[in-house]
Amino acid sequence: MEKSRIGVLISGSGSNLQAIIDACEAKRINGEVVFVGSDRPDVFGLERAEKHKIPKFVVNYAERLKKLEGINAYILRRDHAPKDYDWDDVLRKQGVTLGAILDEGKSVKRAIIEAELLAEMNKFGYDLLVLAGFMRILSPYFIDKVNINQWNYRIMNIHPAILPAFPGTDGYGDTWRYGCKVAGCTVHFVDYGEDTGPIIGQQTFAVQEGETIEDIKTRGLELEWKLYSECIQLFAEDRLRVIERDIGNGRVKKIVWIAPPDKAEA
Ligand code: GRF
């Protein structure tokens, strides 16, 4: 099987990025990292990319947002939004809430910057986009351009909690604050919600009496490095299938079925 081409987006230290690079080099992942993109300059993850001679780029979100500050939603849509940006479509996919409607300007700005991000990414062919501590929400506008269709997800994320518990930015902190006796991490495909996409893999550990948030983070991160590489390898082996599960009351949920190795071609 051909090597998977993996694009990685980061916002920080990039220890997960490093684990993925190492796993590719050690052939634990049948793949190669073809680009590293960051929403911030001067993050250590970019130095890691450079060290391994992996092409890198920055789409400086903070700087771009500053430039668009004070421009109203109508002008943003008329003069700045990507030609194929469709506010109604984004709203429908995100769920029409009052907050979302009032946030039109924010949504357009996000799409404007995402169009730049896509343009950078598209300079490299890639099979899988891996979010490794990328701290920006990706909108339906972006997601639809990366996923092949609703059954072929191509964006993976790692989350520092046992989803669906504790979505958001501080999974290990929330785990500690709630006094959970078990902590862990989750790798999932990215859908339109915040940390709601189909779960690919999870790892857990028992929280010991007296452990701090920092202790949980340290232990969790070590599990993340291993788990992420394993899940990416499942993708590289073409063993991840998104299927629907009936969850009652006429509702269905998309979940991941992991094909056994011998069924990989199924
Ligand atoms: C990880 O804890 C990950 O779960 C979260 O952000 C952190 C990134 O760490 N999304 P690093 O940049 O990979 O070291």
Side-chain angles (χ1 to χ4, degrees):
M1 215 177 247
E2 268 186 33
K3 277 189 181 179
S4 288
R5 295 175 63 80
I6 302 160
V8 183
L9 294 180
I10 58 166
S11 298
S13 101
S15 70
N16 277 289
L17 164 69
Q18 187 67 55
I20 294 164
I21 296 171
D22 294 347
C24 289
E25 288 181 355
K27 299 196 171 19
R28 277 180 282 114
I29 294 176
N30 182 28
E32 61 175 320
V33 178
V34 293
F35 68 77
V36 174
S38 172
D39 64 320
R40 295 167 57 186
D42 309 324
V43 293
F44 186 57
L46 290 170
E47 285 177 37
R48 297 184 195 264
E50 197 165 299
K51 191 165 161 237
H52 291 265
K53 301 194 168 51
I54 299 168
K56 59 182 170 47
F57 61 83
V58 177
V59 174
N60 191 331
Y61 267 62
E63 196 181 87
R64 297 293 294 118
L65 282 169
K66 215 171 167 87
K67 278 197 188 142
L68 297 170
E69 217 171 66
I71 308 176
N72 74 40
Y74 172 77
I75 303 289
L76 281 171
R77 272 170 79 172
R78 196 191 63 189
D79 299 346
H80 301 271
K83 296 271 168 294
D84 55 353
Y85 171 77
D86 179 347
W87 163 239
D88 295 322
D89 186 58
V90 168
L91 205 54
R92 190 167 46 77
K93 288 172 175 162
Q94 273 180 336
V96 184
T97 61
L98 185 59
I101 293 170
L102 294 176
D103 255 349
E104 183 186 353
K106 199 169 165 185
S107 173
V108 189
K109 285 178 197 164
R110 185 169 283 150
I112 293 167
I113 304 172
E114 286 176 345
E116 290 178 29
L117 189 56
L118 286 161
E120 289 296 334
M121 287 165 34
N122 289 342
K123 293 177 186 165
F124 313 89
Y126 60 92
D127 303 304
L128 176 68
L129 179 66
V130 168
L131 309 181
F134 185 66
M135 301 305 281
R136 301 282 174 178
I137 289 175
L138 295 169
S139 80
Y141 173 79
F142 178 95
I143 293 169
D144 284 353
K145 291 205 158 33
V146 178
N147 286 341
I148 294 165
N149 57 46
Q150 57 160 334
W151 301 107
N152 288 277
Y153 288 77
R154 285 211 301 165
I155 312 175
M156 261 188 208
N157 183 39
I158 190 147
H159 182 78
I162 312 168
L163 290 173
F166 307 132
T169 53
D170 192 14
Y172 293 132
D174 290 340
T175 301
W176 183 85
R177 280 185 282 274
Y178 274 73
C180 296
K181 307 307 176 212
V182 178
C185 50
T186 304
V187 172
H188 63 96
F189 281 125
V190 172
D191 69 3
Y192 301 139
E194 193 184 355
D195 304 320
T196 54
I199 291 170
I200 300 165
Q202 297 183 302
Q203 281 291 336
T204 61
F205 57 95
V207 178
Q208 307 298 326
E209 190 55 42
E211 275 191 310
T212 63
I213 294 182
E214 277 315 309
D215 296 331
I216 294 178
K217 270 189 190 157
T218 306
R219 292 174 68 197
L221 256 183
E222 270 182 40
L223 286 185
E224 288 185 27
W225 301 332
K226 197 163 167 286
L227 178 68
Y228 220 170
S229 300
E230 288 168 0
C231 292
I232 293 169
Q233 174 61 3
L234 289 174
F235 181 94
E237 290 174 1
D238 192 22
R239 290 173 56 195
L240 300 177
R241 307 278 181 276
V242 174
I243 58 169
E244 269 180 345
R245 174 164 289 172
D246 189 336
I247 55 167
N249 294 330
R251 292 186 307 147
V252 286
K253 176 107 185 78
K254 286 209 173 80
I255 64 159
V256 170
W257 175 68
I258 301 173
D262 53 332
K263 297 260 171 46
E265 302 303 325

